[in-house]
């Protein structure tokens, strides 16, 4: 199907898998007519992480307004939509259910087809929005709070997972280390900011490899190394330099991500490489990855930060290719918290 089929479709997309309530209107998978995101970060910051029960309640409170805003910003009504798309997994079950129930009700009431979208497929598809020329095949590194996947995108909606994390996701490691050095939630942007004042060579944190699986990742070791380093400093009464810890940790994580991704790109002779997910908004990762791609003659793609972290425009982008393929969901669509990529 790559590149050949074209059909006009305007899709209302809904995303509620974690702590952002989001809705967007997307034309033909690549043109974002509106992208409304209501973040709950401030609420969850109080607890140092996402509280699932609070997330579900807030989604219920906000979802109708977010959808109304997305339609009005696009200057359209429900009648103008060709389909309603929603993230149905993976994610927090109570949070997903709010979006799924809402999308089903709206689509059924308006007589529109329903499309269920995999959250990771959404993250990958965020790359289509600002890179109109990007088409499969390409290699994509998905780095978010819940996932670290190295994925070969063979065609629209056709994926092969080459590697994944064995323990913590990359974003989860950022969040845990940020908490340990007292920076708070969400950790990624706070570590990135602190790291700007630090020396990335100050502390030698480990770069883990998984034996016999060159594309798999493990981040629990580097996280423990940071915790041990902090405890060691405290016991020896050595001052803790947060900026150096943040910079050295960020360096260790980005080194591993780049090394594994570039090994896979070479092995599978890929010509295009993309990054996606919340951690892909990290400027150090982006510029190091860009340099690594340039060295190897690989074309490098990345979404703008607003399309890296959770949003519904990426769900609308992914949904368009499901629409073209005629993959519609039934009214029995349910939330699947541990949905696997490629599973249908
Ligand atoms: O994709 P996302 O919004 O949600 C999930 O699907 O998980 O990713 C959120 C994750 C969090 O762990 C957050 O700390 C991380 O992305 N993150 C970052 C940055 N911005 C967000 N990590 C590193 N650097 C950043 N600038
Ligand atoms: Zn996400």
């Amino acid at each position: 199907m790559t590149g050949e089929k074209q059909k006009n479709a305007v899709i209302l997309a809904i995303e509620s898998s974690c702590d952002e309530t989001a809705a967007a209107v997307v034309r033909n998978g690549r043109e974002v007519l509106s992208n409304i995101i209501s973040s709950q970060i401030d609420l969850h910051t109080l607890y140092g992480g996402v509280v699932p029960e609070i997330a579900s309640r807030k989604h219920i409170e906000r979802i109708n307004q977010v959808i109304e805003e997305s339609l009005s910003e696009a200057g359209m009504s429900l009648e103008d939509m060709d389909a309603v798309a929603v993230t149905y997994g993976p994610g927090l079950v109570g949070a997903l259910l709010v979006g799924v129930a809402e999308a089903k009700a709206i689509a059924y009431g308006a007589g529109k087809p329903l499309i269920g979208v995999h959250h990771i497929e959404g993250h990958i598809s965020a790359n289509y929005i600002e890179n109109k020329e990007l088409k499969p095949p390409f290699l994509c590194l998905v780095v978010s709070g819940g996932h670290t996947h190295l994925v070969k995108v063979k065609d629209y909606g056709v994926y092969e997972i080459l590697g994944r994390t064995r323990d913590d996701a990359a974003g989860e490691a950022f969040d845990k280390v940020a908490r340990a050095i007292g920076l708070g939630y969400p950790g990624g942007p706070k570590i990135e900011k602190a790291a700007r004042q630090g020396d990335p060579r100050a502390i030698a944190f480990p770069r883990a490899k998984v034996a016999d699986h060159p594309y798999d990742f493990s981040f629990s070791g580097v996280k423990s190394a940071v915790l041990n380093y902090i405890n060691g400093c405290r016991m020896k009464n050595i001052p803790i330099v947060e900026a150096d810890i943040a910079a050295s940790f960020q360096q260790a994580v980005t080194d591993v991500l780049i090394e594994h991704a570039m090994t896979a790109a070479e092995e599978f002779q890929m010509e295009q490489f993309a990054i996606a997910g919340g951690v892909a908004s990290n400027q150090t990762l982006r510029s190091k990855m860009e340099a690594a791609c340039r060295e190897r003659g690989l074309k490098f793609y990345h979404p703008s930060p607003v399309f890296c972290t959770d949003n519904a425009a990426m769900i609308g982008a992914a949904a368009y290719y499901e629409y073209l393929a005629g993959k519609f969901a039934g009214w029995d669509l349910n939330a699947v918290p541990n949905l696997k990529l490629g599973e249908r």
Side-chain angles (χ1 to χ4, degrees), residues 12-26 29 32-39 59 66 70 85-87 117-130 144 275-278 280-281 303-319:
L12 169 67
I14 299 168
E15 154 66 41
S16 70
S17 67
C18 191
D19 59 348
E20 329 280 350
T21 318
V25 176
V26 181
V32 177
L33 304 180
S34 66
N35 185 33
I36 307 297
I37 304 167
S38 168
S39 176
H59 284 312
V66 166
S70 73
V86 64
T87 306
V117 175
H118 190 290
H119 184 74
I120 300 297
E121 189 166 5
H123 275 303
I124 295 170
S125 304
N127 279 285
Y128 297 135
I129 296 169
E130 294 156 297
S144 71
I275 51 173
S281 57
S304 289
V306 70
F307 297 125
C308 285
T309 42
D310 287 348
N311 66 88
M314 68 183 197
I315 303 304

Short mmCIF file of all heavy atoms in Angstrom, two decimals, residues 12-26 29 32-39 59 66 70 85-87 117-130 144 275-278 280-281 303-319:
data_model
loop_
_atom_site.label_atom_id
_atom_site.label_comp_id
_atom_site.label_asym_id
_atom_site.label_seq_id
_atom_site.Cartn_x
_atom_site.Cartn_y
_atom_site.Cartn_z
N LEU A 12 -11.60 12.52 13.65
CA LEU A 12 -11.55 13.03 15.03
C LEU A 12 -10.85 11.96 15.85
O LEU A 12 -11.28 10.81 15.87
CB LEU A 12 -12.97 13.26 15.56
CG LEU A 12 -13.07 13.54 17.07
CD1 LEU A 12 -12.44 14.89 17.43
CD2 LEU A 12 -14.52 13.49 17.55
N ALA A 13 -9.74 12.33 16.50
CA ALA A 13 -8.96 11.35 17.27
C ALA A 13 -8.97 11.70 18.75
O ALA A 13 -8.92 12.88 19.12
CB ALA A 13 -7.53 11.31 16.75
N ILE A 14 -9.03 10.67 19.57
CA ILE A 14 -9.10 10.84 21.04
C ILE A 14 -8.00 10.01 21.69
O ILE A 14 -7.78 8.86 21.32
CB ILE A 14 -10.50 10.39 21.55
CG1 ILE A 14 -11.59 11.26 20.91
CG2 ILE A 14 -10.57 10.45 23.08
CD1 ILE A 14 -13.00 10.73 21.11
N GLU A 15 -7.34 10.62 22.69
CA GLU A 15 -6.25 9.92 23.40
C GLU A 15 -6.43 10.17 24.91
O GLU A 15 -6.53 11.32 25.35
CB GLU A 15 -4.90 10.48 22.91
CG GLU A 15 -3.72 10.38 23.86
CD GLU A 15 -3.25 8.96 24.17
OE1 GLU A 15 -3.20 8.13 23.25
OE2 GLU A 15 -2.95 8.69 25.36
N SER A 16 -6.48 9.06 25.68
CA SER A 16 -6.60 9.21 27.14
C SER A 16 -5.90 8.07 27.86
O SER A 16 -6.37 7.62 28.89
CB SER A 16 -8.09 9.25 27.54
OG SER A 16 -8.66 7.95 27.36
N SER A 17 -4.76 7.59 27.30
CA SER A 17 -4.18 6.36 27.87
C SER A 17 -3.42 6.57 29.17
O SER A 17 -3.19 5.65 29.92
CB SER A 17 -3.26 5.70 26.84
OG SER A 17 -2.13 6.51 26.60
N CYS A 18 -3.00 7.83 29.44
CA CYS A 18 -2.22 8.07 30.66
C CYS A 18 -2.71 9.34 31.34
O CYS A 18 -3.82 9.38 31.84
CB CYS A 18 -0.74 8.09 30.33
SG CYS A 18 0.31 8.06 31.79
N ASP A 19 -1.89 10.39 31.33
CA ASP A 19 -2.29 11.59 32.07
C ASP A 19 -2.54 12.82 31.20
O ASP A 19 -2.52 13.94 31.70
CB ASP A 19 -1.27 11.91 33.18
CG ASP A 19 0.14 12.13 32.64
OD1 ASP A 19 0.38 11.82 31.47
OD2 ASP A 19 1.00 12.61 33.40
N GLU A 20 -2.77 12.61 29.89
CA GLU A 20 -3.19 13.74 29.06
C GLU A 20 -4.55 13.39 28.47
O GLU A 20 -4.72 12.31 27.91
CB GLU A 20 -2.24 13.99 27.87
CG GLU A 20 -0.80 13.65 28.07
CD GLU A 20 -0.04 14.71 28.83
OE1 GLU A 20 -0.59 15.80 29.05
OE2 GLU A 20 1.10 14.44 29.24
N THR A 21 -5.51 14.33 28.58
CA THR A 21 -6.79 14.16 27.90
C THR A 21 -6.65 14.94 26.60
O THR A 21 -6.44 16.15 26.64
CB THR A 21 -7.95 14.76 28.72
OG1 THR A 21 -7.76 14.44 30.10
CG2 THR A 21 -9.30 14.25 28.24
N ALA A 22 -6.74 14.24 25.46
CA ALA A 22 -6.43 14.93 24.21
C ALA A 22 -7.39 14.55 23.09
O ALA A 22 -7.89 13.43 23.03
CB ALA A 22 -5.00 14.61 23.79
N ALA A 23 -7.65 15.55 22.22
CA ALA A 23 -8.48 15.31 21.03
C ALA A 23 -7.91 16.15 19.90
O ALA A 23 -7.37 17.25 20.12
CB ALA A 23 -9.94 15.69 21.29
N ALA A 24 -8.00 15.63 18.68
CA ALA A 24 -7.45 16.34 17.53
C ALA A 24 -8.29 16.03 16.30
O ALA A 24 -8.97 15.01 16.25
CB ALA A 24 -6.01 15.90 17.28
N VAL A 25 -8.22 16.94 15.33
CA VAL A 25 -8.85 16.70 14.04
C VAL A 25 -7.71 16.68 13.02
O VAL A 25 -6.92 17.62 12.94
CB VAL A 25 -9.90 17.78 13.69
CG1 VAL A 25 -10.46 17.55 12.29
CG2 VAL A 25 -11.01 17.78 14.73
N VAL A 26 -7.61 15.58 12.28
CA VAL A 26 -6.48 15.39 11.36
C VAL A 26 -7.01 15.02 9.97
O VAL A 26 -7.85 14.12 9.84
CB VAL A 26 -5.52 14.28 11.88
CG1 VAL A 26 -4.33 14.11 10.94
CG2 VAL A 26 -5.03 14.60 13.28
N GLY A 29 -4.20 12.08 7.54
CA GLY A 29 -3.09 11.55 8.32
C GLY A 29 -1.92 12.49 8.54
O GLY A 29 -1.04 12.20 9.34
N VAL A 32 -2.73 18.54 10.52
CA VAL A 32 -3.39 18.68 11.83
C VAL A 32 -4.24 19.95 11.83
O VAL A 32 -3.72 21.06 11.75
CB VAL A 32 -2.33 18.73 12.96
CG1 VAL A 32 -2.99 18.95 14.31
CG2 VAL A 32 -1.53 17.43 12.97
N LEU A 33 -5.56 19.78 11.92
CA LEU A 33 -6.46 20.93 11.91
C LEU A 33 -6.69 21.47 13.32
O LEU A 33 -7.01 22.64 13.50
CB LEU A 33 -7.79 20.55 11.26
CG LEU A 33 -7.68 19.96 9.83
CD1 LEU A 33 -9.05 19.62 9.27
CD2 LEU A 33 -6.96 20.93 8.89
N SER A 34 -6.52 20.62 14.31
CA SER A 34 -6.55 21.06 15.71
C SER A 34 -5.89 19.99 16.56
O SER A 34 -5.85 18.82 16.17
CB SER A 34 -7.98 21.30 16.20
OG SER A 34 -8.68 20.07 16.24
N ASN A 35 -5.33 20.41 17.69
CA ASN A 35 -4.63 19.46 18.56
C ASN A 35 -4.75 19.97 20.00
O ASN A 35 -3.96 20.80 20.43
CB ASN A 35 -3.15 19.38 18.12
CG ASN A 35 -2.38 18.33 18.88
OD1 ASN A 35 -2.93 17.30 19.27
ND2 ASN A 35 -1.09 18.57 19.11
N ILE A 36 -5.77 19.52 20.70
CA ILE A 36 -6.03 20.02 22.06
C ILE A 36 -5.53 19.00 23.09
O ILE A 36 -5.85 17.82 23.01
CB ILE A 36 -7.55 20.26 22.27
CG1 ILE A 36 -8.14 21.14 21.16
CG2 ILE A 36 -7.83 20.85 23.66
CD1 ILE A 36 -7.59 22.54 21.08
N ILE A 37 -4.72 19.50 24.03
CA ILE A 37 -4.16 18.61 25.06
C ILE A 37 -4.43 19.24 26.43
O ILE A 37 -4.01 20.36 26.68
CB ILE A 37 -2.64 18.43 24.89
CG1 ILE A 37 -2.30 17.91 23.48
CG2 ILE A 37 -2.08 17.48 25.96
CD1 ILE A 37 -0.82 18.00 23.11
N SER A 38 -5.16 18.49 27.26
CA SER A 38 -5.36 18.96 28.63
C SER A 38 -4.50 18.08 29.53
O SER A 38 -4.79 16.90 29.72
CB SER A 38 -6.84 18.86 29.00
OG SER A 38 -7.00 19.04 30.37
N SER A 39 -3.41 18.65 30.03
CA SER A 39 -2.46 17.86 30.81
C SER A 39 -2.86 17.81 32.27
O SER A 39 -3.36 18.78 32.83
CB SER A 39 -1.07 18.46 30.67
OG SER A 39 -0.18 17.75 31.50
N HIS A 59 -10.00 12.52 33.34
CA HIS A 59 -10.37 12.32 31.93
C HIS A 59 -11.89 12.49 31.76
O HIS A 59 -12.34 13.15 30.83
CB HIS A 59 -9.98 10.91 31.46
CG HIS A 59 -8.51 10.73 31.21
ND1 HIS A 59 -7.76 11.62 30.48
CD2 HIS A 59 -7.65 9.74 31.57
CE1 HIS A 59 -6.51 11.18 30.42
NE2 HIS A 59 -6.42 10.06 31.08
N VAL A 66 -12.67 18.94 25.81
CA VAL A 66 -11.50 18.83 24.94
C VAL A 66 -11.95 18.48 23.51
O VAL A 66 -11.44 19.04 22.53
CB VAL A 66 -10.52 17.76 25.52
CG1 VAL A 66 -9.47 17.35 24.51
CG2 VAL A 66 -9.84 18.32 26.77
N SER A 70 -11.60 20.79 20.13
CA SER A 70 -10.85 20.32 18.95
C SER A 70 -11.69 20.51 17.69
O SER A 70 -11.17 20.89 16.65
CB SER A 70 -10.39 18.87 19.11
OG SER A 70 -11.48 18.01 18.97
N ALA A 85 -11.50 8.07 15.86
CA ALA A 85 -10.43 7.14 16.26
C ALA A 85 -10.11 7.32 17.73
O ALA A 85 -10.24 8.42 18.27
CB ALA A 85 -9.18 7.41 15.42
N VAL A 86 -9.67 6.23 18.36
CA VAL A 86 -9.34 6.32 19.78
C VAL A 86 -8.23 5.33 20.13
O VAL A 86 -8.16 4.23 19.56
CB VAL A 86 -10.60 6.05 20.65
CG1 VAL A 86 -11.13 4.63 20.46
CG2 VAL A 86 -10.32 6.31 22.12
N THR A 87 -7.36 5.73 21.06
CA THR A 87 -6.35 4.82 21.61
C THR A 87 -7.07 3.79 22.47
O THR A 87 -7.80 4.16 23.38
CB THR A 87 -5.39 5.60 22.53
OG1 THR A 87 -4.85 6.69 21.82
CG2 THR A 87 -4.28 4.70 23.05
N VAL A 117 -6.84 2.53 17.84
CA VAL A 117 -5.43 2.76 17.52
C VAL A 117 -4.54 2.31 18.67
O VAL A 117 -4.85 2.53 19.85
CB VAL A 117 -5.17 4.27 17.21
CG1 VAL A 117 -3.69 4.54 17.00
CG2 VAL A 117 -5.96 4.71 15.98
N HIS A 118 -3.42 1.67 18.30
CA HIS A 118 -2.40 1.29 19.27
C HIS A 118 -1.59 2.54 19.63
O HIS A 118 -1.13 3.25 18.73
CB HIS A 118 -1.50 0.22 18.64
CG HIS A 118 -0.56 -0.43 19.61
ND1 HIS A 118 0.51 0.23 20.17
CD2 HIS A 118 -0.54 -1.68 20.12
CE1 HIS A 118 1.14 -0.58 20.99
NE2 HIS A 118 0.53 -1.75 20.98
N HIS A 119 -1.38 2.77 20.92
CA HIS A 119 -0.72 3.99 21.37
C HIS A 119 0.70 4.15 20.76
O HIS A 119 1.09 5.25 20.35
CB HIS A 119 -0.66 3.98 22.90
CG HIS A 119 -0.09 5.22 23.50
ND1 HIS A 119 -0.77 6.41 23.54
CD2 HIS A 119 1.12 5.47 24.07
CE1 HIS A 119 -0.02 7.33 24.13
NE2 HIS A 119 1.14 6.79 24.45
N ILE A 120 1.44 3.06 20.69
CA ILE A 120 2.81 3.12 20.16
C ILE A 120 2.79 3.42 18.65
O ILE A 120 3.63 4.13 18.12
CB ILE A 120 3.56 1.80 20.41
CG1 ILE A 120 3.65 1.52 21.90
CG2 ILE A 120 4.96 1.80 19.79
CD1 ILE A 120 4.43 2.52 22.69
N GLU A 121 1.80 2.84 17.98
CA GLU A 121 1.63 3.12 16.55
C GLU A 121 1.37 4.61 16.37
O GLU A 121 1.84 5.23 15.41
CB GLU A 121 0.45 2.28 16.03
CG GLU A 121 0.32 2.33 14.53
CD GLU A 121 -0.63 1.25 13.99
OE1 GLU A 121 -1.26 0.54 14.80
OE2 GLU A 121 -0.73 1.15 12.78
N GLY A 122 0.64 5.19 17.31
CA GLY A 122 0.41 6.63 17.29
C GLY A 122 1.72 7.39 17.43
O GLY A 122 2.03 8.27 16.62
N HIS A 123 2.54 7.01 18.43
CA HIS A 123 3.83 7.70 18.61
C HIS A 123 4.66 7.64 17.33
O HIS A 123 5.24 8.63 16.91
CB HIS A 123 4.61 7.09 19.78
CG HIS A 123 4.23 7.65 21.12
ND1 HIS A 123 4.31 8.99 21.40
CD2 HIS A 123 3.77 7.05 22.26
CE1 HIS A 123 3.92 9.20 22.66
NE2 HIS A 123 3.59 8.04 23.20
N ILE A 124 4.73 6.46 16.74
CA ILE A 124 5.53 6.30 15.50
C ILE A 124 4.97 7.22 14.41
O ILE A 124 5.71 7.92 13.72
CB ILE A 124 5.51 4.82 15.03
CG1 ILE A 124 6.22 3.92 16.05
CG2 ILE A 124 6.15 4.68 13.63
CD1 ILE A 124 6.05 2.43 15.82
N SER A 125 3.64 7.22 14.28
CA SER A 125 2.98 7.98 13.20
C SER A 125 3.09 9.49 13.39
O SER A 125 2.84 10.25 12.44
CB SER A 125 1.51 7.58 13.11
OG SER A 125 1.41 6.19 12.93
N ALA A 126 3.45 9.94 14.60
CA ALA A 126 3.66 11.38 14.83
C ALA A 126 4.69 11.91 13.85
O ALA A 126 4.67 13.09 13.48
CB ALA A 126 4.12 11.62 16.26
N ASN A 127 5.59 11.04 13.40
CA ASN A 127 6.61 11.46 12.44
C ASN A 127 6.05 11.84 11.08
O ASN A 127 6.69 12.57 10.32
CB ASN A 127 7.66 10.36 12.27
CG ASN A 127 8.68 10.38 13.39
OD1 ASN A 127 9.55 11.24 13.44
ND2 ASN A 127 8.54 9.45 14.33
N TYR A 128 4.85 11.33 10.74
CA TYR A 128 4.28 11.64 9.42
C TYR A 128 3.77 13.09 9.36
O TYR A 128 3.67 13.67 8.28
CB TYR A 128 3.09 10.72 9.11
CG TYR A 128 3.46 9.25 9.02
CD1 TYR A 128 2.68 8.27 9.63
CD2 TYR A 128 4.59 8.85 8.32
CE1 TYR A 128 3.02 6.92 9.55
CE2 TYR A 128 4.94 7.50 8.23
CZ TYR A 128 4.15 6.55 8.85
OH TYR A 128 4.49 5.23 8.77
N ILE A 129 3.44 13.66 10.53
CA ILE A 129 2.75 14.96 10.55
C ILE A 129 3.60 16.07 9.94
O ILE A 129 3.14 16.81 9.08
CB ILE A 129 2.32 15.31 11.99
CG1 ILE A 129 1.28 14.28 12.49
CG2 ILE A 129 1.78 16.73 12.08
CD1 ILE A 129 0.98 14.36 13.98
N GLU A 130 4.85 16.18 10.38
CA GLU A 130 5.67 17.29 9.88
C GLU A 130 6.66 16.87 8.80
O GLU A 130 7.40 17.70 8.29
CB GLU A 130 6.42 17.92 11.06
CG GLU A 130 5.48 18.58 12.03
CD GLU A 130 6.10 18.66 13.41
OE1 GLU A 130 6.38 17.60 14.01
OE2 GLU A 130 6.31 19.78 13.88
N SER A 144 9.39 6.20 25.50
CA SER A 144 8.38 6.95 26.26
C SER A 144 8.47 6.56 27.73
O SER A 144 9.42 5.89 28.14
CB SER A 144 7.00 6.66 25.69
OG SER A 144 6.63 5.34 26.01
N ILE A 275 12.73 8.95 15.52
CA ILE A 275 12.54 8.74 16.95
C ILE A 275 11.13 9.20 17.32
O ILE A 275 10.53 10.03 16.62
CB ILE A 275 13.60 9.44 17.84
CG1 ILE A 275 13.73 10.92 17.47
CG2 ILE A 275 14.93 8.75 17.75
CD1 ILE A 275 14.64 11.68 18.42
N ALA A 276 10.61 8.66 18.42
CA ALA A 276 9.24 8.98 18.82
C ALA A 276 9.08 8.78 20.32
O ALA A 276 9.92 8.13 20.96
CB ALA A 276 8.27 8.07 18.07
N GLY A 277 8.00 9.34 20.89
CA GLY A 277 7.71 9.18 22.32
C GLY A 277 8.26 10.35 23.13
O GLY A 277 9.08 11.14 22.64
N GLY A 278 7.82 10.45 24.37
CA GLY A 278 8.16 11.60 25.22
C GLY A 278 9.65 11.88 25.31
O GLY A 278 10.08 13.04 25.24
N ALA A 280 11.85 11.38 23.17
CA ALA A 280 12.37 11.88 21.89
C ALA A 280 12.36 13.40 21.85
O ALA A 280 12.94 14.00 20.94
CB ALA A 280 11.54 11.32 20.73
N SER A 281 11.71 14.06 22.83
CA SER A 281 11.76 15.53 22.86
C SER A 281 13.05 16.01 23.53
O SER A 281 13.32 17.20 23.57
CB SER A 281 10.53 16.12 23.54
OG SER A 281 10.41 15.60 24.83
N PRO A 303 9.62 14.13 15.51
CA PRO A 303 8.48 15.05 15.62
C PRO A 303 8.87 16.26 16.49
O PRO A 303 9.79 16.18 17.29
CB PRO A 303 7.41 14.22 16.34
CG PRO A 303 7.96 12.82 16.42
CD PRO A 303 9.44 12.93 16.33
N SER A 304 8.14 17.37 16.36
CA SER A 304 8.30 18.49 17.29
C SER A 304 7.93 17.98 18.69
O SER A 304 7.11 17.07 18.82
CB SER A 304 7.34 19.62 16.94
OG SER A 304 7.76 20.23 15.78
N PRO A 305 8.48 18.62 19.75
CA PRO A 305 8.19 18.14 21.11
C PRO A 305 6.69 17.93 21.40
O PRO A 305 6.31 16.95 22.05
CB PRO A 305 8.79 19.22 22.00
CG PRO A 305 9.95 19.72 21.18
CD PRO A 305 9.50 19.69 19.75
N VAL A 306 5.82 18.81 20.90
CA VAL A 306 4.39 18.68 21.21
C VAL A 306 3.80 17.40 20.62
O VAL A 306 2.81 16.87 21.14
CB VAL A 306 3.60 19.94 20.74
CG1 VAL A 306 3.53 20.02 19.21
CG2 VAL A 306 2.20 19.96 21.33
N PHE A 307 4.42 16.87 19.57
CA PHE A 307 3.94 15.61 19.00
C PHE A 307 4.73 14.40 19.52
O PHE A 307 4.46 13.27 19.13
CB PHE A 307 4.01 15.65 17.46
CG PHE A 307 3.12 16.70 16.84
CD1 PHE A 307 3.65 17.66 15.99
CD2 PHE A 307 1.76 16.74 17.13
CE1 PHE A 307 2.83 18.64 15.42
CE2 PHE A 307 0.94 17.72 16.57
CZ PHE A 307 1.47 18.67 15.72
N CYS A 308 5.76 14.66 20.37
CA CYS A 308 6.51 13.55 20.99
C CYS A 308 5.77 13.04 22.21
O CYS A 308 5.54 11.84 22.37
CB CYS A 308 7.90 14.02 21.43
SG CYS A 308 9.07 14.25 20.09
N THR A 309 5.41 13.97 23.12
CA THR A 309 4.67 13.55 24.31
C THR A 309 3.22 13.27 23.90
O THR A 309 2.81 13.59 22.78
CB THR A 309 4.74 14.66 25.39
OG1 THR A 309 4.57 15.92 24.76
CG2 THR A 309 6.08 14.66 26.09
N ASP A 310 2.46 12.66 24.80
CA ASP A 310 1.13 12.17 24.42
C ASP A 310 0.23 13.27 23.84
O ASP A 310 0.13 14.37 24.40
CB ASP A 310 0.45 11.52 25.63
CG ASP A 310 1.09 10.18 25.95
OD1 ASP A 310 1.88 9.68 25.13
OD2 ASP A 310 0.78 9.64 27.03
N ASN A 311 -0.40 12.95 22.72
CA ASN A 311 -1.30 13.88 22.04
C ASN A 311 -2.23 13.06 21.17
O ASN A 311 -2.00 11.86 20.96
CB ASN A 311 -0.47 14.86 21.19
CG ASN A 311 0.25 14.18 20.05
OD1 ASN A 311 -0.29 14.02 18.96
ND2 ASN A 311 1.47 13.69 20.28
N ALA A 312 -3.30 13.68 20.66
CA ALA A 312 -4.25 12.92 19.85
C ALA A 312 -3.98 13.07 18.35
O ALA A 312 -4.46 12.26 17.56
CB ALA A 312 -5.67 13.37 20.17
N ALA A 313 -3.19 14.09 17.95
CA ALA A 313 -2.89 14.25 16.52
C ALA A 313 -2.18 13.01 16.00
O ALA A 313 -2.46 12.53 14.89
CB ALA A 313 -2.02 15.49 16.30
N MET A 314 -1.28 12.45 16.82
CA MET A 314 -0.55 11.24 16.40
C MET A 314 -1.52 10.05 16.23
O MET A 314 -1.30 9.19 15.38
CB MET A 314 0.57 10.91 17.40
CG MET A 314 0.08 10.47 18.77
SD MET A 314 1.47 10.19 19.91
CE MET A 314 0.66 9.22 21.20
N ILE A 315 -2.58 10.05 17.03
CA ILE A 315 -3.57 8.96 16.92
C ILE A 315 -4.36 9.13 15.61
O ILE A 315 -4.65 8.16 14.92
CB ILE A 315 -4.52 8.97 18.16
CG1 ILE A 315 -3.71 8.85 19.46
CG2 ILE A 315 -5.61 7.89 18.06
CD1 ILE A 315 -2.80 7.63 19.55
N GLY A 316 -4.65 10.39 15.27
CA GLY A 316 -5.33 10.68 14.00
C GLY A 316 -4.46 10.33 12.80
O GLY A 316 -4.96 9.88 11.77
N ALA A 317 -3.13 10.52 12.95
CA ALA A 317 -2.20 10.18 11.86
C ALA A 317 -2.19 8.67 11.64
O ALA A 317 -2.32 8.19 10.51
CB ALA A 317 -0.79 10.68 12.20
N ALA A 318 -2.08 7.91 12.72
CA ALA A 318 -2.07 6.44 12.60
C ALA A 318 -3.41 5.93 12.09
O ALA A 318 -3.47 5.01 11.26
CB ALA A 318 -1.76 5.82 13.96
N ALA A 319 -4.49 6.55 12.56
CA ALA A 319 -5.84 6.09 12.20
C ALA A 319 -6.11 6.20 10.70
O ALA A 319 -6.84 5.39 10.13
CB ALA A 319 -6.89 6.89 12.98
#
